């Protein structure tokens, strides 16, 4: 198995290298990651300037661009051979609920999906994680199992086959959030849905050295929909949250009603 590994915390991030080491037990891993922290970059793509990439050591490329740039470049010109899967992480800090809209980690995985590969995004619950080895081992086993599932056994059930088909046909990606706990303290894995947060906190106003106003983005809002079955609830209870994400944002049940409403405007 060949894996393209990226992140949004930058090519030096401890989470990236912990996951690379764990994945290397199962696969040939190439790291293509941003030159610096690009958290919150979402799915931005660099269009106005050229993208520079430098191989700082064998198999590790530093890209002067966004997480999406990294994966797009990796799959569209940088690497000699196309990988089998794209993995993003381990992000320092969870990506739960609404976070996935802003997350560069999730965007890196989504770009892999856009370019036709199965993809997984992995995050730790802590901004300064202390148990990256445990998180990396869990993530690596999950990825290896997904890859092995391309060759189903005769006894495989229909649900598992449908899940694998969706992942490998590009209909979804998996968003994985892991508690920052030692391996023995993690209770297991749960399939979850995205929760959501209340409105984010207000911008924080400050001044630069010349007295001019500057603004910092405030903290994310507290949990709103975080009950049973959500990614918030699973992580809070000590479980690994595994959420299937689809890229089609269309609200299909609303199409017919919208068409009826638009008829009155024609």
């Amino acid at each position: 198995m060949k894996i393209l590994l990226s992140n949004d915390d930058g090519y030096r991030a401890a989470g990236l290298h912990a996951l690379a080491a764990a994945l290397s037990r199962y696969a040939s891993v190439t790291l293509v990651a941003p030159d610096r922290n690009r958290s919150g970059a979402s799915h931005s793509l660099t269009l106005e300037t050229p993208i520079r990439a430098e191989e700082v050591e064998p198999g590790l490329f530093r890209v002067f661009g966004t997480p999406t740039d990294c994966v797009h470049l990796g799959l569209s010109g940088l690497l000699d051979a196309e990988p089998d899967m794209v993995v993003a992480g381990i992000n320092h800090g969870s990506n739960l609920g609404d976070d996935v809209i802003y997350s560069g980690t999730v965007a890196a995985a989504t770009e892999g999906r856009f370019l036709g590969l199965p993809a997984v995004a992995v995050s730790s619950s802590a901004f300064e994680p202390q148990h990256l080895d445990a998180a990396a081992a869990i993530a690596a086993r999950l990825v290896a199992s997904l890859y092995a599932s391309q060759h189903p056994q005769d006894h495989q059930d229909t649900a598992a086959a449908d899940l694998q088909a969706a992942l490998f046909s590009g209909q979804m990606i998996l968003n994985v959030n892991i508690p920052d706990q030692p391996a023995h303290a993690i209770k297991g894995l749960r399939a979850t849905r995205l929760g959501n947060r209340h409105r984010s906190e207000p911008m924080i106003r400050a001044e630069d050295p010349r007295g001019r106003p500057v603004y910092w983005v405030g903290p994310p809002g507290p949990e709103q929909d975080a009950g049973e079955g959500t990614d918030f609830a699973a992580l809070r209870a000590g479980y690994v949250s595994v959420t299937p994400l689809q890229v089609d944002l269309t609200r299909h049940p609303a199409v017919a009603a919208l068409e009826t409403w638009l008829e009155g405007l024609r």
Side-chain angles (χ1 to χ4, degrees):
M1 174 169 53
K2 297 185 292 294
I3 290 176
L4 188 157
L5 177 61
S6 191
N7 73 346
D8 71 359
D9 289 322
Y11 75 104
R12 294 178 175 175
L16 179 77
H17 290 277
L19 185 53
L23 287 171
S24 295
R25 296 179 54 196
Y26 306 98
S28 172
V29 182
T30 302
L31 291 76
V32 185
D35 61 304
R36 61 187 187 276
N37 192 316
R38 295 280 189 155
S39 296
S42 188
H43 213 107
S44 56
L45 192 65
T46 300
L47 300 176
E48 296 296 325
T49 58
I51 299 170
R52 301 182 185 276
E54 176 186 4
E55 190 170 15
V56 295
E57 60 184 65
L60 171 59
F61 292 86
R62 172 177 62 177
V63 176
F64 295 83
T66 68
T68 300
D69 290 333
C70 293
V71 175
H72 194 90
L73 177 63
L75 299 182
S76 303
L78 183 66
L79 304 184
D80 294 330
E82 183 169 286
D84 300 297
M85 186 179 294
V86 171
V87 180
I90 297 172
N91 190 64
H92 293 204
S94 60
N95 279 302
L96 303 168
D98 315 65
D99 302 342
V100 302
I101 301 298
Y102 303 99
S103 169
T105 303
V106 175
T110 302
E111 185 65 13
R113 176 267 175 205
F114 282 159
L115 297 177
L117 295 181
V120 179
V122 184
S123 302
S124 167
S125 64
F127 287 106
E128 296 183 0
Q130 303 301 308
H131 303 283
L132 283 171
D133 288 347
I138 291 170
R141 289 200 304 270
L142 178 64
V143 168
S145 179
L146 288 170
Y147 182 75
S149 72
Q150 290 184 94
H151 310 287
Q153 305 298 315
D154 292 338
H155 63 271
Q156 185 179 42
D157 61 57
T158 303
D162 289 346
L163 177 69
Q164 292 151 9
L167 183 69
F168 284 92
S169 66
Q171 297 176 42
M172 70 176 190
I173 67 173
L174 293 182
N175 184 41
V176 181
N177 285 275
I178 304 174
D180 186 38
Q181 299 287 341
H184 67 83
I186 296 175
K187 296 180 180 178
L189 294 87
R190 282 186 174 173
T192 57
R193 64 177 177 85
L194 293 179
N196 60 59
R197 300 180 184 274
H198 287 282
R199 179 173 173 169
S200 61
E201 298 298 320
M203 298 286 287
I204 300 169
R205 189 182 190 279
E207 291 185 350
D208 71 10
R210 296 185 180 182
R212 296 172 297 194
V214 295
Y215 299 88
W216 293 92
V217 173
E223 300 171 6
Q224 182 177 34
D225 177 9
E228 187 64 28
T230 66
D231 46 2
F232 286 101
L235 199 64
R236 188 169 56 245
Y239 290 87
V240 177
S241 167
V242 183
T243 307
L245 303 180
Q246 64 181 15
V247 180
D248 181 2
L249 300 179
T250 306
R251 184 171 176 79
H252 292 279
V255 173
L258 180 61
E259 176 64 23
T260 300
W261 178 69
L262 292 175
E263 287 288 344
L265 302 179
R266 293 173 183 168

